[in-house]
Amino acid sequence: MSNREIVSPVTDGVQPCASSPDEARAAGRTAYEKPTPQNSVMLLIDHQIGLMTSIRDFQSLATLRANVLGLGRITKALDIPVLLSSSNAQWQNGDTIPELKELFSDEPIYRRTGIINCYEDPSFRSALEELMTRTGRTQVIIAGITMGTCTAMPTLSMLNDGYRVLPVIDACGAWNQYEAQAAMSRMANAGAELVTTFALGCELQADWKLPTAEAMFDPFLKELPEYGYLIQNFWNNANTHTVEDPFGQVK
């Protein structure tokens, strides 16, 4: 006896929740204010050459680098507005890593000269406020090289001022596990929603039938090699498939 298959029509789009976030809150439920490419901005804070060398909570800097670049490539693929900042780049912290500079070569880098919390830096704060006002976006996605300072401090400040903040915790590093755990606890308890790079990418993409799908394969292929090899292996062996392809791409 064979299993019965029910294949979703390829004409189907994403079906939103039955209740709005406001309705969910009014009913005493947890509201889901979904991040989208249309309602989000990205903050990439202090991913600098010198600071990268101080990270101790990743087994390999290659993994952290891949997550940071994956987040950057997701930002580009989905055309999400981005603000970049560095701290004391003229001294020991070093310049923004070259891969991010190349990826966002058309974007300015806000060079802070001593103020640790980027949200407390007047130039950066003005840029963020102008961006949020001009675009009408409501969600701030943030990743900073050291989670306890570059990420947690502006996250707590922005939550205080009414922003909705999503820290991307695996595109941040820490000097040790205690710092990472304390920072995650502080941010979550204050109301931030902690996310990870490639899960967030899927949440933002929402439907692989959308036009951004091809561009969104790039960060997965380049910066998440385990999944990239899975994709490439499938297409290398596509003629041996067992489930009929409703899109007609696999012959």
Side-chain angles (χ1 to χ4, degrees):
M1 185 176 75
S2 61
N3 291 336
R4 181 171 172 234
E5 297 183 357
I6 300 174
V7 179
S8 299
V10 298
T11 53
D12 279 358
V14 172
Q15 185 173 11
C17 296
S19 303
S20 70
D22 286 340
E23 290 170 337
R25 279 188 285 266
R29 301 191 298 268
T30 300
Y32 176 33
E33 300 203 29
K34 182 178 179 178
T36 70
Q38 293 75 38
N39 70 12
S40 301
V41 302
M42 182 70 66
L43 308 185
L44 298 175
I45 310 301
D46 299 352
H47 293 101
Q48 296 167 247
I49 296 170
L51 292 174
M52 289 285 281
T53 65
S54 69
I55 297 307
R56 296 291 182 269
D57 65 322
F58 275 80
Q59 288 187 337
S60 169
L61 278 181
T63 301
L64 174 59
R65 173 187 176 276
N67 292 341
V68 171
L69 295 183
L71 186 61
R73 294 187 195 281
I74 287 168
T75 302
K76 290 280 281 192
L78 298 176
D79 198 26
I80 296 173
V82 62
L83 294 178
L84 294 92
S85 186
S86 71
S87 172
N88 282 339
Q90 71 278 6
W91 293 332
Q92 71 280 351
N93 291 351
D95 197 4
T96 302
I97 59 174
E99 300 93 333
L100 274 186
K101 290 184 70 175
E102 180 180 357
L103 189 61
F104 296 107
S105 59
D106 54 343
E107 297 291 340
I109 299 176
Y110 291 87
R111 303 284 196 189
R112 305 188 326 279
T113 54
I115 297 175
I116 297 172
N117 180 343
C118 67
Y119 188 75
E120 294 178 344
D121 182 85
S123 296
F124 187 86
R125 171 100 65 94
S126 295
L128 175 61
E129 291 173 344
E130 188 278 331
L131 177 61
M132 300 296 281
T133 300
R134 174 169 49 85
T135 63
R137 293 165 185 254
T138 58
Q139 311 222 27
V140 179
I141 303 168
I142 183 172
I145 187 57
T146 49
M147 192 184 301
T149 52
C150 309
T151 304
M153 291 165 60
T155 292
L156 296 172
S157 296
M158 289 186 287
L159 290 169
N160 179 82
D161 283 0
Y163 290 96
R164 176 173 163 72
V165 189
L166 294 89
V168 188
I169 57 174
D170 65 346
C172 311
W175 293 315
N176 53 56
Q177 290 289 344
Y178 297 107
E179 179 199 345
Q181 292 165 9
M184 287 187 285
S185 177
R186 289 185 76 192
M187 291 188 292
N189 288 337
E193 292 199 22
L194 310 186
V195 294
T196 55
T197 298
F198 294 99
L200 174 66
C202 291
E203 190 172 16
L204 291 167
Q205 176 63 26
D207 183 350
W208 288 113
K209 298 191 297 295
L210 293 176
T212 51
E214 185 172 351
M216 275 291 286
F217 271 125
D218 179 69
F220 285 84
L221 287 170
K222 291 182 177 176
E223 311 301 347
L224 188 63
E226 297 85 350
Y227 190 66
Y229 289 139
L230 182 152
I231 294 171
Q232 292 166 335
N233 179 66
F234 171 79
W235 287 108
N236 287 340
N237 300 280
N239 288 328
T240 63
H241 68 286
T242 58
V243 178
E244 183 179 354
D245 177 15
F247 296 94
Q249 294 187 32
V250 179
K251 307 300 181 185

